[in-house]
Amino acid sequence: MTTVAVIAHAKKRMGPTLPELRKALAARGVTDPIWHEVPKSKKAPKRVKAALEAGADLIFVWGGDGTVQRCIDALRDAPHTTLAILPAGTANLLATNLGIEQDLDRAVDVGLNGDRRTIDVGEINGERFAVMAGCGFDAAMIRDADRGLKDRWGRAAYVWTGAKNLKSGTVEGTIKIDGNEWFTGKFSCVLVGNVGSAFGSLDLFEDAQPDDGQLDVGVVSAEGFVDWMRAFGRIAFSHADRSPFIQTTVARKIDIKLDDTTPYELDGGDRSPTKRIKVRIRPSAVTIAVPHPAQS
């Protein structure tokens, strides 16, 4: 018998509400799930641990990428517990990359009856992520969007804060890939991807797969509006590698040393500025419920 738990960010919506989620589960025979609601994503790990202690082996997560990231980090000692995503956030990039629709009934069916896929995660400064991490421009954009704008404007907040931070300058540092110096100099941001699509429909890392045992890395040296527009133009047509402002590679270990404290982010959540960033791949670290062909 599967023991089902729900970890729900109470402020997030899919259209349907949490009472409708209870009804959808009950209609499929799950009448008394372990149920935890949290007001913030950072409260989720404690509830995940409580659900595991209560015997949960299938955990539905209601929220966006930030909530999912917190739950994945809390599952590091339970890699065979299945996580089922109910995409109810501003950004649902992991769900999108895995083919999970923002539809309550379909997402519930995937969780209960879908295939199980074991995927890699990245780990940045000791914290795990499933989609993307980075420092510089992207972290500043996410930080500013989290200051009340995202809740009011949704995805449009990222457009505003992104445009605002295009004026930001560069930071100087050194990037080592698998122990070897790969880049040194000034850059606007560094992105590390576990999946291909990191900003909605933009395929930043065309060949990235979440179960290939490696992370994709990109460093952007664009500075100012004109340079960024040229870089975005290449990214929009899946030709990031052809931009003079973008360098890409793949890695299992990334070490970044910065001259100045710089903000960094993982899966849409900003973290305190730092001068040193260590990123590692953690292969086959989490099991996710995904659609099987009949559900696609």
Side-chain angles (χ1 to χ4, degrees), residues 62-109:
W62 171 284
D65 286 314
T67 307
V68 172
Q69 179 270 318
R70 298 280 190 176
C71 293
I72 286 175
D73 194 50
L75 285 171
R76 63 175 63 214
D77 295 322
H80 301 298
T81 298
T82 299
L83 186 144
I85 303 171
L86 299 167
T90 304
N92 302 288
L93 298 178
L94 182 58
T96 299
N97 277 275
L98 296 177
I100 302 165
E101 297 182 45
Q102 195 170 15
D103 178 283
L104 178 61
D105 286 321
R106 291 183 181 180
V108 169
D109 283 337

Side-chain angles (χ1 to χ4, degrees), residues 165-187:
N165 282 288
L166 284 179
K167 300 176 183 178
S168 300
T170 56
V171 63
E172 192 153 356
T174 300
I175 304 170
K176 289 186 176 181
I177 298 297
D178 295 333
N180 299 309
E181 187 172 301
W182 175 67
F183 179 94
T184 186
K186 294 181 179 180
F187 58 84

Side-chain angles (χ1 to χ4, degrees), residues 46-287:
K46 184 177 180 179
R47 302 304 183 184
V48 171
K49 292 176 183 178
L52 292 172
E53 289 172 0
D57 47 19
L58 172 59
I59 298 178
F60 281 92
V61 179
W62 171 284
D65 286 314
T67 307
V68 172
Q69 179 270 318
R70 298 280 190 176
C71 293
I72 286 175
D73 194 50
L75 285 171
R76 63 175 63 214
D77 295 322
H80 301 298
T81 298
T82 299
L83 186 144
I85 303 171
L86 299 167
T90 304
N92 302 288
L93 298 178
L94 182 58
T96 299
N97 277 275
L98 296 177
I100 302 165
E101 297 182 45
Q102 195 170 15
D103 178 283
L104 178 61
D105 286 321
R106 291 183 181 180
V108 169
D109 283 337
V110 168
L112 294 175
N113 305 308
D115 287 344
R116 273 40 181 163
R117 183 177 180 183
T118 301
I119 68 169
D120 309 330
V121 300
E123 188 172 284
I124 179 169
N125 287 3
E127 191 174 358
R128 296 187 171 192
F129 66 93
V131 178
M132 178 188 69
C135 68
F137 164 78
D138 62 306
M141 176 183 71
I142 287 167
R143 175 199 62 202
D144 292 347
D146 278 343
R147 293 173 175 170
L149 296 177
K150 191 168 65 173
D151 290 338
R152 291 169 55 193
W153 295 352
R155 292 186 181 184
Y158 293 119
V159 177
W160 169 255
T161 60
K164 171 187 172 183
N165 282 288
L166 284 179
K167 300 176 183 178
S168 300
T170 56
V171 63
E172 192 153 356
T174 300
I175 304 170
K176 289 186 176 181
I177 298 297
D178 295 333
N180 299 309
E181 187 172 301
W182 175 67
F183 179 94
T184 186
K186 294 181 179 180
F187 58 84
S188 304
C189 73
V190 179
L191 291 174
V192 180
N194 190 43
V195 297
S197 180
F199 288 109
S201 59
L202 288 179
D203 292 325
L204 297 183
F205 302 112
E206 188 176 2
D207 298 323
Q209 294 295 329
D211 54 6
D212 59 5
Q214 61 187 8
L215 296 165
D216 286 69
V217 187
V219 60
V220 182
S221 57
E223 185 175 8
F225 182 81
V226 174
D227 286 358
W228 270 108
M229 289 303 98
R230 290 176 64 190
F232 280 136
R234 291 293 189 184
I235 293 169
F237 289 97
S238 300
H239 297 316
D241 57 333
R242 299 183 188 178
S243 171
F245 304 110
I246 301 172
Q247 292 177 231
T248 62
T249 189
V250 295
R252 295 179 60 84
K253 300 190 300 182
I254 305 106
D255 293 282
I256 304 171
K257 183 179 180 182
L258 304 162
D259 287 359
D260 299 304
T261 55
T262 303
Y264 74 99
E265 60 84 17
L266 60 158
D267 286 358
D270 71 296
R271 299 295 185 266
S272 299
T274 184
K275 285 187 175 183
R276 291 182 179 272
I277 294 173
K278 181 172 75 172
V279 190
R280 300 291 185 266
I281 187 71
R282 302 302 182 202
S284 304
V286 65
T287 302

